[in-house]
């Protein structure tokens, strides 16, 4: 392995360097001379901007300012039927600010690549962040939300009083994001475009764990310490005498090992740990980027050595090209709808007021609905019962750490708008839409403008000061708000009249400022919420009118994320959508819609990669369906034993008319024959004693009856990551209904909570949690430490031994019909209930939810019992029913009989066999079955939906 072959790799002292270079003393003095000659000062903040000039052939001799004005006014006519004086005034004002601040090229650059992307059919989001408040951006198509309709404010994005780089963050379909980046590189030159470095820092828990590892503190001991630290807290927060964590303070004072670890971790907390490439950031420069910032190679990327904050401070144009999977969901769903139904949906031409769409949201059926599908949000929506987009906007803004405390106040205001009290009459016009609650940052700005006479730009300065909780600035702002005075801005000083001069009593103004301060710390950017609510509505619309097409798109975009895929497929089954197993002759790479059913995609089978699938599907499309396993193996060069085994277990070869047990017993023999054939073909050799070609050797199957239900499903789960043809818990459906909890309640999508990426310089304090922290905080607020009871099966079990070696415990995963949850079981429960810790056994679980682990939620199991079926279950079915199946091939009969034998019951099965297009006599199978969803799935998978029918015996006489 690589080694350091010397002990000299350290920073040497001046004395050591002088000794090393005593033969050449000028080598030492020259370093000082070189350092003294390096005299460069970075220009930061608003000194200079390196935005590339925008040009195209349509501009002619027009300046960028004039071209933007002409373009915006021309496109404005397409947005509004009538251009009112109010609309034109807003447009003229924004253009004057944009041009005066020197950002006309910026707007045109963004418009250009968005316009180019849309022409290529790439899905771009309706907007993101404060830029949604610009009517110029709306008119030229950068955004798709009318800022006037939702009372959005341009100055939240850009103003003369606070001159800073504007920042349009662009959401793009995940699958085609790179195409947009490639367009920008071609347009402005590859050397003028660069990705941005990202520095990962030492988080609190990670710092403590790393230090503890260095000091050889036992793993379980450190885990116990971690449980004391609330999510989002720093070490200093935990040790704070007033508001800290008592048990953590006690640990620090009384445990010398813990004190040593924590003291060292405090030094490392927040320090850079490693570098990566920023997920979305791209620098676009007027000159080669290397002339302004140093670059480095970061794996396959060339990135800046300065992070995004430093890059922006230097005046370089940073764009965020964000891949948003929801846009991919929508784009794919629209494609499926157009292909299947011939319907072309254009969301820019619909109204966002359909009662049927809001009915879905109000009912809490928000699975796969953007921003609204976390457990808590679904409950909130069913309680709020929104009937307009404005209430979705408010819901998204309120359902976050902090403002969640005002949810009840908001709902009470909606139920009784006349009962809402306003501190001043002017507030009703501003806060009426949110029933007296200050929900948005824009409302803070409007209050400062209407009551105290701030300009909108000055109001944004006040809003920022409030959000940062800077006490000295807040005291000045309070005085300005009440009494008025001169306010310093980036463009000089402006006079603020103050609330008293506007007729507001000083006492009322003081109380009002305190109220604004209380709310504003949690106020959200309405522009951002409005744009994302539009996406919420679009996903809800597709789910309302085209649920199958939309949910198939959602599943396909998560086909390699087994937990998410399992969740959505479980949901689709709950909604009554029928699934078909993967089929080597019918399946595509992804899930497809087949006669109203969902055909499982081959990409969902483990160890079957996309390269192999391309060959398999192309071969099938070009030369016909596969006849049997040998035909399949001989026609595809990528085939190996592992792939064949997984295809069999997943059901992809059921179409060959053999049981899976038969094929698993025979596949190694078949692959050996095929490999021998290939070897002979490659060498063009035949044995002297060969009577004929190896292809002539007949293949005989080791015919076996099908596996029992438990093993059959276990194999399916092994290779598909989920149960598709049935579920071990399906026969316990009635029993599971008695529980008020299931795993879907803590299921959370990556994008369930969004926080806007503010334009904050490195010396500012950021109190807002990150998106990931926010999601975990919301889960903690709703479920942490809650005791729950539910039914499930263990799918993964692993025994662990404590570090001290004195005890054992178990960890793993438990699954119900809606999803999966990690578990841990410790002594004494571990010893008491160990006999129940067996995979695939239906059990009743009682325990406490633990969401403190930053990785994944889990349950600490306290009790386990066998899940028993209710005695009233109608398991035996209806003896008056007859199950009819139509066989198009006599060879299917043995396979069907094998499947029927797995579901004994009380229903007669009869069959017709088609021979040369005519129906043969009616035959009765030797099976009397129980009709279950699982049985029907498997028959449907073998014979097709149209060839299965259940009828009453009385109707057949």
């Amino acid at each position: 392995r690589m080694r350091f072959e010397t002990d000299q790799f350290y920073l040497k002292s001046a004395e050591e360097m002088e000794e090393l270079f005593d033969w050449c003393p000028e080598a030492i003095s020259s370093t000082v001379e070189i350092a003294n000659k390096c005299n460069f000062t970075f220009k930061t903040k608003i000194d200079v901007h390196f935005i590339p000039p925008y040009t195209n052939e349509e501009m002619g001799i027009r300046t960028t300012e004039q071209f933007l004005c002409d373009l915006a006014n021309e496109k404005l006519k397409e947005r509004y039927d009538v251009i009112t004086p109010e609309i034109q005034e807003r447009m003229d004002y924004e253009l004057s600010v944009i041009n005066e601040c020197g950002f006309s090229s910026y707007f045109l650059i963004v418009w250009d690549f968005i316009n180019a992307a849309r022409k290529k059919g790439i899905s771009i989001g309706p907007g993101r962040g404060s830029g949604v408040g610009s009517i110029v951006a709306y008119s030229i198509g950068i955004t798709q939300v009318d800022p006037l309709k939702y009372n959005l404010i341009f100055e939240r994005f850009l103003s003369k009083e606070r001159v800073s780089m504007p920042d349009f963050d662009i959401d793009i379909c995940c699958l085609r994001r790179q195409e947009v980046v490639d367009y920008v590189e071609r347009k402005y030159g590859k050397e003028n475009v660069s990705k941005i470095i990202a520095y990962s820092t030492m988080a609190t828990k990670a710092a403590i764990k790393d230090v503890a590892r260095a000091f050889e503190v036992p793993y379980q001991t450190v885990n116990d310490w971690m449980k004391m630290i609330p999510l989002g807290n720093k070490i200093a927060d935990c040790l704070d005498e007033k508001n800290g964590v008592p048990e953590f303070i006690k640990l620090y004072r009384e445990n010398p090992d813990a004190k040593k670890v924590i003291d060292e971790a405090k030094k490392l907390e927040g320090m850079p740990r490693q570098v990566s490439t920023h997920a979305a950031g791209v620098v676009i420069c007027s000159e080669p980027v290397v002339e302004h910032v140093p670059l480095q190679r970061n794996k396959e990327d060339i990135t800046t050595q300065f992070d995004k904050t430093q890059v922006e401070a230097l005046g370089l144009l940073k764009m965020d090209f964000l891949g948003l999977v929801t846009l991919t969901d929508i784009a794919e769903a629209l494609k499926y709808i157009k292909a299947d139904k011939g319907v072309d949906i254009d969301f820019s031409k619909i109204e966002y007021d359909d009662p049927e769409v809001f009915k879905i949201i109000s009912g809490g059926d928000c699975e796969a609905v953007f921003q609204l599908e976390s457990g808590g949000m679904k409950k909130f929506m069913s309680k709020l019962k929104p009937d307009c987009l404005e209430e979705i906007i408010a819901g998204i803004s309120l359902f976050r750490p902090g403002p969640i405390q005002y949810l009840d106040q908001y709902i009470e205001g909606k139920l009784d708008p006349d009962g809402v009290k306003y501190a001043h009459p002017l507030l009703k016009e501003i806060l009426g839409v949110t029933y007296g609650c200050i929900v948005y940052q824009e409302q803070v700005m409007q209050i400062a403008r209407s009551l105290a006479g701030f300009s909108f730009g000055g109001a944004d300065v006040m809003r920022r000061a409030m959000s940062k909780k800077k006490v000295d600035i807040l005291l000045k702002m309070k005085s300005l708000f009440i009494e008025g005075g001169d306010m310093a801005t980036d463009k000089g000083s402006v006079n603020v009249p103050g609330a008293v001069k506007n007729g507001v009593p000083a006492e009322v103004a003081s109380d009002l400022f305190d109220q604004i301060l209380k709310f504003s710390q949690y106020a959200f950017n309405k522009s951002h919420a409005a744009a994302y609510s539009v996406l919420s509505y679009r996903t809800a619309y597709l789910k309302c009118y085209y649920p199958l097409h939309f949910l198939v798109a959602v599943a396909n975009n998560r086909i390699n994320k087994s937990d998410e895929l399992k969740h959505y497929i479980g949901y689709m089954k709950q909604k009554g959508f029928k699934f078909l197993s993967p089929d080597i002759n019918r399946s595509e790479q992804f899930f497809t819609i087949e006669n109203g059913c969902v055909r499982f995609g081959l990409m969902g089978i483990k160890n079957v990669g996309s390269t192999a699938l391309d060959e398999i599907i192309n071969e099938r499309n070009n030369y016909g369906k596969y006849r049997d396993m040998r035909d399949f193996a001989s026609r595809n060069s990528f085939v190996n034993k592992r792939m064949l085994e997984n295809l069999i277990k997943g059901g992809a070869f059921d179409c060959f008319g053999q049981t899976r047990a038969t094929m698993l017993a025979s596949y190694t023999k078949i692959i050996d024959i095929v490999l021998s054939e290939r070897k002979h073909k490659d060498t063009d050799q035949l044995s002297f004693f060969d009577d004929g070609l190896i292809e002539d050797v007949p293949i005989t199957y080791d015919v076996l009856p099908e596996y029992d239900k438990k093993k059959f499903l276990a194999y399916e789960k092994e290779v598909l990551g989920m149960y598709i043809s049935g579920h071990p818990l399906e026969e316990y459906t009635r029993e599971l209904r008695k529980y008020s909890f299931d795993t879907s309640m803590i299921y959370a999508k990556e994008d369930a909570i969004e926080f806007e990426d503010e334009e904050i310089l490195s010396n500012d304090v950021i109190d807002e949690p990150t998106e990931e922290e926010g999601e975990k905080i919301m889960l903690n607020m709703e479920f942490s430490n809650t005791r729950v009871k539910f039914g499930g099966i263990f799918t993964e079990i692993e025994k662990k031994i404590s570090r001290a070696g004195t005890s054992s415990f178990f960890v793993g995963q438990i699954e119900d019909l809606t999803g999966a949850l990690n578990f841990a079981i410790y002594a004494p429960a571990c010893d008491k209930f160990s006999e129940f810790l067996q995979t695939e056994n239906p059990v009743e679980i009682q325990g406490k939810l633990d969401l403190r682990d930053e990785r994944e939620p889990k349950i600490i199991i306290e009790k386990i019992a066998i899940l028993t079926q209710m005695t009233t279950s109608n398991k035996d079915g209806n003896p008056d029913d007859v199950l009819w199946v139509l066989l198009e091939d006599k060879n299917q009969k043995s396979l069907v009989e094998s499947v029927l034998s797995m579901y004994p019951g009380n229903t007669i099965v009869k069959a017709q066999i088609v021979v040369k297009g005519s129906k043969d006599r009616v035959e009765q199978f030797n099976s009397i079955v129980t009709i279950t969803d699982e049985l029907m799935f498997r028959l449907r998978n073998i014979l097709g939906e149209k060839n299965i029918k259940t009828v009453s015996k009385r109707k057949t006489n």
Side-chain angles (χ1 to χ4, degrees), residues 763-798:
N763 60 343
D764 283 329
V765 179
I766 305 175
D767 294 313
E768 188 83 330
T770 65
E771 179 179 331
E772 183 182 4
E773 288 172 339
E775 177 65 19
K776 288 168 183 166
I777 289 170
M778 297 305 295
L779 285 173
N780 270 287
M781 290 171 66
E782 188 171 2
F783 290 113
S784 197
N785 295 320
T786 302
R787 279 188 165 76
V788 297
K789 184 192 289 188
F790 67 105
I793 54 172
F794 293 110
T795 54
E796 296 174 21
I797 301 172
E798 184 180 358

Side-chain angles (χ1 to χ4, degrees), residues 42-62:
F42 283 106
K43 294 180 178 180
T44 60
K45 295 195 176 179
I46 60 171
D47 296 333
V48 65
H49 299 295
F50 300 102
I51 302 174
Y54 176 78
T55 57
N56 74 10
E57 62 279 1
E58 297 175 32
M59 286 179 64
I61 60 172
R62 287 178 289 182

Side-chain angles (χ1 to χ4, degrees), residues 822-837:
N822 288 345
F823 77 85
I825 181 168
Y826 303 106
C830 181
D831 302 324
K832 190 173 180 181
F833 300 107
S834 60
E835 63 182 291
F836 300 118
L837 290 168

Side-chain angles (χ1 to χ4, degrees), residues 604-871:
I605 303 175
K606 290 180 181 177
N607 297 309
V608 183
S610 58
T611 304
L613 283 178
D614 285 341
E615 179 181 315
I616 289 166
I617 294 172
N618 286 337
E619 171 69 22
R620 183 186 75 196
N621 293 342
N622 292 331
Y623 301 104
K625 292 182 176 182
Y626 299 108
R627 298 187 302 275
D628 51 37
M629 271 201 296
R630 176 177 180 170
D631 183 45
F632 171 79
S634 63
R635 288 165 60 184
N636 292 284
S637 60
F638 283 96
V639 172
N640 55 44
K641 291 182 180 179
R642 184 67 180 275
M643 184 188 296
L644 274 182
E645 180 184 344
N646 285 6
L647 287 167
I648 294 166
K649 288 179 177 179
F653 288 166
D654 287 358
C655 56
F656 295 150
Q658 301 291 337
T659 65
R660 295 183 192 181
T662 296
M663 288 187 282
L664 279 174
S666 310
Y667 80 94
T668 53
K669 177 171 60 177
I670 291 171
I671 195 73
D672 287 341
I673 291 173
V674 170
L675 290 174
S676 296
E677 289 175 1
R678 286 184 190 160
K679 182 179 179 182
H680 280 74
K681 284 180 181 178
D682 291 342
T683 58
D684 198 22
Q685 293 177 358
L686 284 175
S687 166
F688 182 76
F689 299 101
D690 280 346
D691 294 328
L693 296 176
I694 290 179
E695 286 93 329
D696 296 334
V697 177
I699 292 177
T700 56
Y701 288 101
D702 302 320
V703 179
L704 297 172
E706 190 57 280
Y707 295 117
D708 62 52
K709 178 180 173 182
K710 185 175 179 180
K711 191 168 186 177
F712 184 93
L713 290 174
Y715 276 151
E716 199 170 75
K717 173 80 183 301
E718 176 191 330
V719 299
L720 301 182
M722 69 195 75
Y723 303 106
I724 188 70
S725 61
H727 197 287
L729 288 174
E730 274 185 352
E731 46 192 275
Y732 296 86
T733 303
R734 294 182 61 188
E735 290 76 17
L736 295 175
R737 291 193 193 118
K738 69 184 179 183
Y739 302 111
S740 58
F741 174 83
D742 63 57
T743 57
S744 70
M745 293 182 179
I746 59 168
Y747 174 76
K749 271 186 69 177
E750 296 169 5
D751 54 15
I753 293 179
E754 288 281 347
F755 296 98
E756 185 192 359
D757 183 16
E758 293 277 1
E759 308 95 319
I760 299 172
L761 296 181
S762 57
N763 60 343
D764 283 329
V765 179
I766 305 175
D767 294 313
E768 188 83 330
T770 65
E771 179 179 331
E772 183 182 4
E773 288 172 339
E775 177 65 19
K776 288 168 183 166
I777 289 170
M778 297 305 295
L779 285 173
N780 270 287
M781 290 171 66
E782 188 171 2
F783 290 113
S784 197
N785 295 320
T786 302
R787 279 188 165 76
V788 297
K789 184 192 289 188
F790 67 105
I793 54 172
F794 293 110
T795 54
E796 296 174 21
I797 301 172
E798 184 180 358
K799 186 175 182 178
K800 299 270 190 179
I801 306 296
S802 65
R803 288 272 180 174
T806 56
S807 63
S808 61
F809 60 98
F810 289 88
V811 297
Q813 195 172 76
I814 188 165
E815 181 177 307
D816 61 14
L817 289 172
T818 62
L821 180 64
N822 288 345
F823 77 85
I825 181 168
Y826 303 106
C830 181
D831 302 324
K832 190 173 180 181
F833 300 107
S834 60
E835 63 182 291
F836 300 118
L837 290 168
Q838 298 179 38
T839 57
E840 315 306 332
N841 279 347
V843 290
E844 178 184 88
I845 296 295
Q846 293 185 56
K848 185 169 67 173
L849 290 175
D850 180 2
L851 308 177
R852 291 174 294 180
D853 192 313
E854 289 186 9
R855 290 166 296 181
E856 292 178 340
K858 68 181 176 183
I859 184 170
I860 308 299
I861 295 177
E862 296 169 342
K863 290 183 181 179
I864 308 174
I866 293 295
L867 189 64
T868 55
Q869 287 185 296
M870 296 180 183
T871 56

